[in-house]
Amino acid sequence: MTRRLLLLVPLVLFAGLAVFLYRGLNHDPVGRESALIGREFPAFSLATVADPDVRHDASLLAGKVTLVNVWGAWCPTCREEMPQLMALAEQGVRLVGVDYKDTREAATEFLDTLGDPFAVNLFDPDGTLGFDLGVYGAPESFLVDRDGIIRYHHTGAIRPENVEQEILPRVQRWRDD
Amino acid sequence: MLLPFIPEVGHFALILALMMALIQAVVPLAGAATRRPLWMAYARPMALGQFAFLLVAFASLMASFLFDDFSVAYVANNANSQLPWYYKATAVWGSHEGSMLLWCLMLAGWGCAVAGLSRRLPAALMARVLGVMGLVGSGFLLFVLLTSNPFTRLLPNVPGEGADLNPLLQDVGLIIHPPMLYMGYVGFSVVFAFAIAALLEGRIDAAWTRWARPWTNVAWAFLTVGIALGSWWAYYELGWGGWWFWDPVENASLLPWLAGTALLHSLAVTEKRGSFKSWTVLLAIFTFSLSLLGTFLVRSGVLTSVHAFANDPTRGAFILILLGLTVGGALTLFALRAPRVSQAVTFGWLSRDALLLVNNILLVVMTVTVLLGTLYPLILDALGLGKVSVGPPYFNALFVPLTALLCLFMGLGPVARWKRMPARELWRRLAGAALGAVVLAALAPLVYHGRWNPGVSLGLLLALWLVLSLARDLFDKLRHARSPGAGLRRLAPAYWGMQLGHLGLAVTIVGVTVVSNYNVERNVRMAVGDRVQLAGYTFALRSLDKRRGPNFVADVATLDVSRDGERRFTLHPEKRLYLARRMPMTDVALRPGLLRDLYVAMGEDLGDGAWALRIQYKPFVRWLWLGAALMAAGGVLAVADRRYRRGRGAQRCNDEVVTS
């Protein structure tokens, strides 16, 4: 009898897996919580899009509340998001871009046509920083406070309503803090 | 005349193929259950017919591509009138719909091969095997027709020009990589069908394994080649010089390969010793299930960048249902019927049986490791525990030690005897190999690079241990023969297949070890006249030019490479802009060699006549793929073994008796 039950184990395991696959099929990628919230921004050392000889590390984020935006010229959603990022930059939010799995050429053309809201644009062609951030794809945004701690994570495009309702209040809150 | 209707011809052929697949599924299985020879006899003609009509459908789609029929949505999205004809032909499998059609064509092709080559199979077994393959085929043909029809027309507003094939796919590696990979994936459906047939019949004997083994070997060899081609393609096409990224799509192909490797070995035990029967059946089910899971993961978009590309939930749901029915059905059948096929055989804790059991356990653990790493983000997410991604550090941390353990036992396995092997004799035969491997592995980094490196030594230790124990085994086999020549002749192709396959893994391990540790890479800014030194080579940028290709424009750099002051050769890396999609692509300049590759990729224009260049020195990188080629060759060579053909010879004798 126990042997019989043992033979059912693969079926049960598969049924469990199928449930997860089903959930995965229906999951909503927007608004997922990052495991990194409350943690320090991961260490990195990356060149900028503008100049391969200029490198930055995590100290770039110290001292000022910053919105780190992971984007790529290959990503159509990032295109939609640019006007909102421009608006945020106009409101005085400091933006740092992470150009994710992209080429400098495409990125430069992208910024030339759509505008460049970023104070600094880090160049991450292999997706190493994106990986450390647990990024699934682009765009994703991380709000980092003055001490370099990740405070908020936004998945997918920042829509016009998100600017007023979510991003700006949080920037203000961590500035005051 | 017929030209405007080609897509409809293809569409109808596809529908007819589905009908035939349904008949192939239902009638022979019912016939086998009720012992009606006439019903069972439907299996083979239907398998042939299904394949023939799928061939028509496939040819129609290819014709639509070649004639630039942009009224077909799939053609309009994946081709362009400027595309060279050979890429038009291969664009057929450049995207989802066409690759699923190719998948179905290959499944039918394997079915057809079984029908044609295993003529001597007992009628009931043949009916069941082809019936199960027909079931799987019906599912996938339904999937193609209902959710991914490649023949959908864009009427009445026919686009004047197509969107072009993704430039990443305009490459010879991508012409052959997917077909090889699919041949592997789909090929495992044969052994899956054999396993289900065995469960239905409630019987597994030596004859069953002799029929199932060659199919498994061939499918495994295709998958090996497919994975290696994918890695090779990523190496030179993506412009980073990486050859394995542990990305979900790659893992999806590695999973069935690992399970398939376990299956090959388990089948060997089942054939030789009659043991591990239910385990073999389970592995056959697992291997094909993982092939299907790979298809699901890649096609549903569950794991890829979810918000960058629109994924189609209907397709994902459909494949999940297919997966559930196939795998769930197979495992239910297994739970119900496995006790019938199992048989207890005893063996000592030190014997080839036991060592192969360890091999199987390790391979299954590796499969589970990769599976968990791939699905972990999905599982955590479903449990509401946050979102993470899992990457190379996790896989390397677990995969490397598991491979090391596997290699340790791989060295022992071929030397050990079935049933029982005294430890002392094993030690006596392998002490020399072990000692030689340790000494050579410790010294090699010193000689090659001038400094000791524990990582390199470990990798080489494993490879040398494999090679030396294989050599020792060969030596022992020949020593007992009258003459070395006579001994060589007596060794069966299956033995050489094993030797070659294991040697291939050793070669791959050497490649992985050396290139991971001694790779040199520099990102530099270069203008015309600049020189850069790397690993003893001097790269001088001679000129920067522009060039026009059929469907792209390119910046071309010309670099003179010299060594010891002597000019050796020139390299021409390109940065292309594909016009239809406005997509920039890196065309890498490679100087391949058995011991090292030189790799130059153009980055971006930095202005003032300077470009960013990525120059790499990649020692032994070719060994990665050379090893895979040896493994695949080993798998195929083993099929040439006489015992898999003996059956057919006997059949011929019987025929003669009947006719005379």
Side-chain angles (χ1 to χ4, degrees):
Chain A
M1 198 55 217
T2 33
R3 197 179 138 67
R4 269 251 127 119
L5 287 177
L6 217 58
L7 290 173
L8 276 169
V9 170
L11 185 62
V12 173
L13 287 177
F14 171 72
L17 183 64
V19 170
F20 285 121
L21 291 177
Y22 179 73
R23 299 274 305 259
L25 210 56
N26 294 310
H27 78 181
D28 178 10
V30 178
R32 64 189 163 87
E33 284 302 300
S34 170
L36 288 169
I37 286 181
R39 301 230 199 121
E40 219 166 300
F41 197 84
F44 63 88
S45 168
L46 289 174
T48 63
V49 171
D51 191 340
D53 295 328
V54 177
R55 294 190 84 83
H56 287 288
D57 58 23
S59 64
L60 172 70
L61 303 171
K64 201 163 178 206
V65 177
T66 308
L67 187 70
V68 178
N69 177 259
V70 182
W71 65 283
W74 46 269
C75 136
T77 325
C78 302
R79 210 168 276 270
E80 289 167 28
E81 190 188 40
M82 284 312 268
Q84 287 75 265
L85 295 184
M86 294 297 285
L88 281 167
E90 272 166 33
Q91 302 256 7
V93 179
R94 183 180 185 232
L95 287 164
V96 166
V98 177
D99 184 25
Y100 179 65
K101 297 192 176 176
D102 205 353
T103 64
R104 280 205 171 84
E105 203 175 47
T108 311
E109 198 191 319
F110 182 90
L111 296 173
D112 284 349
T113 34
L114 295 165
D116 184 355
F118 301 110
V120 176
N121 237 320
L122 300 166
F123 185 54
D124 187 19
D126 306 336
T128 45
L129 176 58
F131 173 75
D132 288 338
L133 283 168
V135 164
Y136 269 44
E140 291 194 13
S141 305
F142 297 84
L143 188 67
V144 183
D145 74 6
R146 267 173 296 202
D147 305 321
I149 309 290
I150 296 174
R151 291 304 180 181
Y152 170 69
H153 179 206
H154 187 94
T155 327
I158 296 174
R159 308 202 179 282
E161 63 271 21
N162 302 142
V163 173
E164 298 293 331
Q165 290 165 11
E166 288 170 38
I167 311 289
L168 285 175
R170 287 192 167 85
V171 170
Q172 202 52 50
R173 180 183 152 204
W174 292 108
R175 272 185 188 157
D176 298 343
D177 197 53
Chain B
M1 238 297 276
L2 200 65
L3 221 55
F5 306 112
I6 286 178
E8 277 65 42
V9 170
H11 196 167
F12 285 133
L14 202 56
I15 295 171
L16 280 171
L18 170 66
M19 295 304 141
M20 298 208 152
L22 282 170
I23 298 174
Q24 182 190 332
V26 176
V27 180
L29 280 177
T34 55
R35 293 164 207 259
R36 287 176 215 225
L38 183 64
W39 289 19
M40 292 195 254
Y42 269 80
R44 287 181 51 200
M46 286 302 135
L48 299 178
Q50 189 201 342
F51 179 65
F53 280 106
L54 273 169
L55 213 54
V56 170
F58 192 78
S60 307
L61 188 58
M62 194 174 273
S64 301
F65 268 97
L66 290 173
F67 294 126
D68 292 326
D69 189 347
F70 298 127
S71 71
V72 178
Y74 184 68
V75 178
N77 289 332
N78 293 290
N80 183 283
S81 55
Q82 304 293 308
L83 199 62
W85 69 269
Y86 42 90
Y87 289 139
K88 279 182 188 166
T90 55
V92 172
W93 56 84
S95 187
H96 170 80
E97 288 86 347
S99 23
M100 289 320 291
L101 181 61
L102 181 66
W103 214 98
C104 292
L105 176 73
M106 284 176 169
L107 184 63
W110 280 99
C112 200
V114 172
L117 293 173
S118 297
R119 284 164 182 272
R120 214 179 56 81
L121 226 53
L125 185 59
M126 171 72 101
R128 286 186 167 122
V129 168
L130 288 180
V132 172
M133 293 187 74
L135 269 178
V136 177
S138 313
F140 275 87
L141 282 168
L142 265 176
F143 173 69
V144 170
L145 278 166
L146 295 181
T147 73
S148 328
N149 188 348
F151 297 108
T152 309
R153 294 266 206 176
L154 291 171
L155 292 173
N157 298 318
V158 176
E161 184 55 283
D164 205 3
L165 178 65
N166 185 345
L168 271 174
L169 309 183
Q170 296 185 24
D171 171 80
V172 66
L174 242 282
I175 292 179
I176 35 183
H177 162 62
M180 287 290 160
L181 204 58
Y182 292 173
M183 279 300 272
Y185 278 173
V186 178
F188 284 128
S189 68
V190 179
V191 69
F192 172 80
F194 267 97
I196 300 300
L199 287 175
L200 288 171
E201 263 173 27
R203 189 163 63 97
I204 287 187
D205 47 26
W208 180 89
T209 45
R210 275 205 296 278
W211 280 311
R213 264 184 96 178
W215 297 107
T216 316
N217 275 21
V218 174
W220 180 87
F222 272 118
L223 189 58
T224 310
V225 172
I227 294 174
L229 279 174
S231 146
W232 180 57
W233 172 80
Y235 169 72
Y236 71 78
E237 187 68 23
L238 298 182
W240 304 328
W243 39 268
W244 192 261
F245 299 95
W246 293 112
D247 113 345
V249 179
E250 285 171 325
N251 292 348
S253 62
L254 187 62
L255 286 168
W257 188 84
L258 289 168
T261 311
L263 174 63
L264 289 183
H265 292 91
S266 173
L267 272 168
V269 186
T270 307
E271 184 185 353
K272 286 279 162 55
R273 300 271 295 138
S275 49
F276 292 12
K277 279 182 181 170
S278 41
W279 177 241
T280 300
V281 167
L282 189 60
L283 274 178
I285 296 174
F286 272 159
T287 307
F288 186 57
S289 305
L290 289 169
S291 300
L292 291 181
L293 183 72
T295 311
F296 171 78
L297 292 180
V298 175
R299 294 285 156 220
S300 66
V302 163
L303 287 178
T304 40
S305 319
V306 267
H307 21 267
F309 310 99
N311 56 1
D312 188 340
T314 34
R315 281 178 188 165
F318 201 115
I319 301 189
L320 186 58
I321 291 170
L322 269 184
L323 187 72
L325 287 178
T326 319
V327 183
L331 290 175
T332 309
L333 194 65
F334 175 79
L336 294 174
R337 309 280 292 210
R340 288 216 193 176
V341 297
S342 62
Q343 176 185 345
V345 176
T346 56
F347 52 82
W349 67 271
L350 196 61
S351 62
R352 192 182 285 191
D353 313 45
L355 288 166
L356 281 168
L357 183 63
V358 173
N359 143 305
N360 263 248
I361 291 168
L362 283 171
L363 282 166
V364 169
V365 170
M366 286 162 109
T367 313
V368 172
T369 308
V370 178
L371 187 66
L372 277 183
T374 312
L375 296 180
Y376 188 66
L378 201 71
I379 294 173
L380 272 198
D381 183 29
L383 294 176
L385 295 176
K387 312 236 176 185
V388 291
S389 44
V390 177
Y394 161 84
F395 290 108
N396 291 341
L398 287 169
F399 215 71
V400 172
L402 283 170
T403 310
L405 262 179
L406 185 70
C407 288
L408 177 68
F409 288 101
M410 266 176 81
L412 301 174
V415 177
R417 279 195 297 268
W418 294 108
K419 207 161 180 183
R420 203 180 69 84
M421 181 83 186
R424 191 161 349 126
E425 193 188 339
L426 197 60
W427 170 245
R428 190 173 52 74
R429 292 176 68 179
L430 284 177
L435 194 68
V438 170
V439 173
L440 287 175
L443 291 179
L446 291 175
V447 176
Y448 180 78
H449 205 244
R451 207 163 42 151
W452 196 64
N453 180 325
V456 176
S457 282
L458 175 68
L460 293 182
L461 175 66
L462 299 175
L464 283 164
W465 162 244
L466 287 182
V467 174
L468 292 176
S469 61
L470 285 173
R472 169 72 200 211
D473 188 49
L474 187 61
F475 171 74
D476 280 341
K477 290 237 171 12
L478 297 186
R479 199 179 42 171
H480 299 303
R482 267 176 294 121
S483 71
L488 281 176
R489 270 195 300 283
R490 224 181 42 191
L491 292 174
Y495 177 77
W496 289 113
M498 182 279 289
Q499 282 264 350
L500 213 52
H502 285 200
L503 181 68
L505 184 69
V507 170
T508 298
I509 289 176
V510 172
V512 172
T513 306
V514 178
V515 79
S516 309
N517 286 286
Y518 293 138
N519 174 41
V520 188
E521 175 184 332
R522 280 186 71 182
N523 292 302
V524 290
R525 175 196 176 98
M526 283 183 102
V528 173
D530 285 352
R531 306 171 85 80
V532 170
Q533 295 269 347
L534 186 87
Y537 292 87
T538 307
F539 298 79
L541 185 60
R542 194 206 302 166
S543 63
L544 286 165
D545 308 289
K546 300 230 181 256
R547 167 174 106 81
R548 229 198 123 81
N551 51 350
F552 60 85
V553 288
D555 287 294
V556 188
T558 305
L559 292 105
D560 290 316
V561 183
S562 54
R563 185 166 195 180
D564 309 327
E566 183 190 336
R567 213 187 120 223
R568 294 294 174 90
F569 45 83
T570 50
L571 292 174
H572 300 278
E574 290 184 10
K575 191 76 179 186
R576 294 180 176 175
L577 182 68
Y578 280 83
L579 299 168
R581 294 195 177 203
R582 308 290 310 164
M583 188 162 155
M585 285 284 306
T586 311
D587 193 59
V588 173
L590 265 180
R591 180 76 183 187
L594 189 61
L595 297 183
R596 59 103 195 89
D597 271 19
L598 297 178
Y599 186 107
V600 182
M602 282 175 93
E604 50 287 317
D605 192 349
L606 301 174
D608 304 331
W611 275 77
L613 292 178
R614 176 179 289 211
I615 303 180
Q616 299 190 68
Y617 169 79
K618 309 212 99 92
F620 283 71
V621 69
R622 299 276 136 184
W623 288 45
L624 288 172
W625 309 302
L626 178 69
L630 288 176
M631 284 188 246
V636 173
L637 186 60
V639 178
D641 206 276
R642 221 183 14 238
R643 68 176 181 276
Y644 301 125
R645 281 173 305 167
R646 197 181 294 147
R648 223 173 296 158
Q651 171 68 23
R652 223 165 284 138
C653 296
N654 288 344
D655 286 347
E656 277 159 19
V657 171
V658 174
T659 47
S660 59

